[in-house]
Amino acid sequence: MPVNVQWFRRGGLRSTRLVMIGASAGAFLLLVLSTFTSWPVGGGGGGGGGTGTRGDRGVTAAAVNPAFEANAGDCLNWTRPDLSDVARVDCGSQHLFEVTGTVDITSTYGKDARFPDNEVWQTISADHCTETSLTYLNEKFDPFGKYSVGTLNPGERRWGEGYRTLRCGLQVAAASGALLPSYGTAKTQDQSLVYDAGVCLGINGNSVGDPIECAQPHTFEIIGVADLGTLVGPDFPDPARQDDVLAEECSTMAAEYTGGADLRGDKLAVSWDTRVSESWAAGSRRANCKIGAIPEGNTLVAWTGSVRNPDAPPLTTSNPPQTTTVAPQAEPTGAPLHSEGQQPSTTGQPSAPPSGQSSVAPTSSTVTRTEEQEG
């Protein structure tokens, strides 16, 4: 009997972004990091320059936090919630922020301007960082992909000293808004929102949550990533074609991943993501293959544990890795904000997914592709 399932979504944060992207090119996610945590002066990491070299606004470069001297193409990473250990790193290694450009907003916000509140920062980011980031990506941006546009502001103290230079950038955010590590420059990455095999995704009401340990209640366990570009060729395949191809590919992955376990007996099923034309145009070709509990009506069902064959060889990550973390930054240095005052959904109501339809294959030969449900 076919399983009638709703659209599985990653979280309210991305679906809100979906609505905004459709409305205008300036509507991106904004993580205002230093509204909540001021950037410390003299933070760790190289990049300050030699003694006597002067940074922005007359501050000696030796004392400037590396973030304040980062330029387009630089990647930043940190581990501490207060960002005191922020450092410029090679973009091929783990990082949390890729700078797409710098913007000086002095002409709009003079020396006597008050430090912007969250709503104003939303406007600033939309007005100044959207086009900067699109240009950086040569207009190839997947509005349903893993990257969000973010802004690093100088913090209230430095703002009061007249500092008006912002860093625009790209980052990967979990459903909660917590930042996830990224690998490789966004300029050359497939932007598909995918995870490496073995990652489990939590549950938040009726939404898919952050990566977590599989021993905790979760919605899906990722069993692999399918490359639709290899499977179907360069032309965009319609959803039915994607379902046909992914049903076979993901079922094969499931048999290998589980060692041929009886999923139906545990009320589990194989499912996958599909890609929409906007994502395909941006170069996104990859899709998650995953296993989840069969929904009850249109409600996600949490389950615990892993279906990974315990006798299978250790899992390996892709190169560069997709998202592999199971613990997003515990204390996000920013909070997800959205233009037009929209906030992430906390009601757990279903809405459209960020990366295309998620279909499910029962253990019978019937495959059911569901229709979009908006929250």
Side-chain angles (χ1 to χ4, degrees):
M1 179 178 181
V3 178
N4 182 21
V5 295
Q6 67 169 48
W7 283 74
F8 293 120
R9 68 185 177 111
R10 178 169 178 250
L13 179 147
R14 289 282 180 166
S15 58
T16 302
R17 233 175 101 235
L18 182 156
V19 173
M20 294 188 295
I21 290 291
S24 71
F28 287 91
L29 167 70
L30 168 64
L31 288 179
V32 189
L33 301 180
S34 47
T35 296
F36 299 86
T37 302
S38 297
W39 288 90
V41 174
T51 303
T53 302
R54 302 192 64 82
D56 292 324
R57 298 290 177 186
V59 180
T60 59
V64 173
N65 184 284
F68 289 127
E69 292 195 331
N71 296 307
D74 288 339
C75 289
L76 303 173
N77 195 49
W78 59 88
T79 61
R80 299 172 185 167
D82 65 357
L83 282 69
S84 60
D85 63 340
V86 66
R88 280 189 286 187
V89 298
D90 186 288
C91 289
S93 61
Q94 176 178 308
H95 58 275
L96 294 175
F97 195 87
E98 180 172 351
V99 180
T100 58
T102 60
V103 176
D104 190 310
I105 59 173
T106 304
S107 61
T108 307
Y109 296 89
K111 65 177 183 178
D112 296 325
R114 296 180 59 183
F115 184 71
D117 60 20
N118 294 338
E119 184 175 353
V120 175
W121 278 121
Q122 295 166 23
T123 301
I124 292 172
S125 183
D127 290 346
H128 297 284
C129 282
T130 298
E131 189 59 39
T132 296
S133 297
L134 285 173
T135 299
Y136 180 81
L137 292 173
N138 296 317
E139 307 299 322
K140 294 285 188 178
F141 181 81
D142 182 353
F144 310 105
K146 64 182 179 180
Y147 290 110
S148 301
V149 173
T151 303
L152 301 185
N153 73 53
E156 190 165 1
R157 181 181 65 78
R158 286 178 64 86
W159 179 276
E161 296 171 352
Y163 191 93
R164 297 292 187 272
T165 301
L166 313 177
R167 262 65 188 176
C168 302
L170 296 164
Q171 56 210 357
V172 179
S176 67
L179 299 185
L180 297 173
S182 184
Y183 303 85
T185 174
K187 282 187 172 182
T188 60
Q189 291 298 298
D190 182 307
Q191 298 179 30
S192 306
L193 178 58
V194 293
Y195 299 86
D196 276 321
V199 172
C200 286
L201 301 176
I203 187 166
N204 180 19
N206 203 30
S207 301
V208 179
D210 293 7
I212 60 171
E213 296 285 353
C214 294
Q216 302 299 315
H218 56 274
T219 53
F220 295 109
E221 180 174 355
I222 306 300
I223 58 174
V225 174
D227 188 336
L228 281 167
T230 300
L231 294 170
V232 303
D235 297 331
F236 175 68
D238 63 38
R241 170 63 172 154
Q242 293 185 52
D243 279 341
D244 289 342
V245 170
L246 291 172
E248 181 177 354
E249 183 74 6
C250 294
S251 294
T252 298
M253 288 187 185
E256 295 175 352
Y257 187 90
T258 67
D262 177 16
L263 298 178
R264 188 172 188 176
D266 291 328
K267 297 184 178 180
L268 300 174
V270 179
S271 63
W272 53 87
D273 299 331
T274 58
R275 294 289 164 248
V276 295
S277 58
E278 294 91 340
S279 298
W280 197 268
S284 295
R285 300 288 189 273
R286 298 178 182 177
N288 291 310
C289 290
K290 54 197 179 182
I291 289 175
I294 296 174
E296 295 179 354
N298 284 331
T299 302
L300 291 176
V301 175
W303 56 293
T304 59
S306 172
V307 292
R308 172 72 175 159
N309 177 8
D311 297 324
L315 291 170
T316 58
T317 59
S318 55
N319 184 26
Q322 306 299 332
T323 300
T324 57
T325 183
V326 295
Q329 189 169 327
E331 298 181 49
T333 51
L337 306 172
H338 306 275
S339 64
E340 302 176 5
Q342 298 185 50
Q343 296 295 325
S345 172
T346 57
T347 62
Q349 296 302 311
S351 68
S355 56
Q357 184 174 352
S358 180
S359 300
V360 63
T363 51
S364 67
S365 60
T366 304
V367 176
T368 299
R369 183 168 63 83
T370 61
E371 299 300 325
E372 177 175 5
Q373 298 184 11
E374 296 183 356

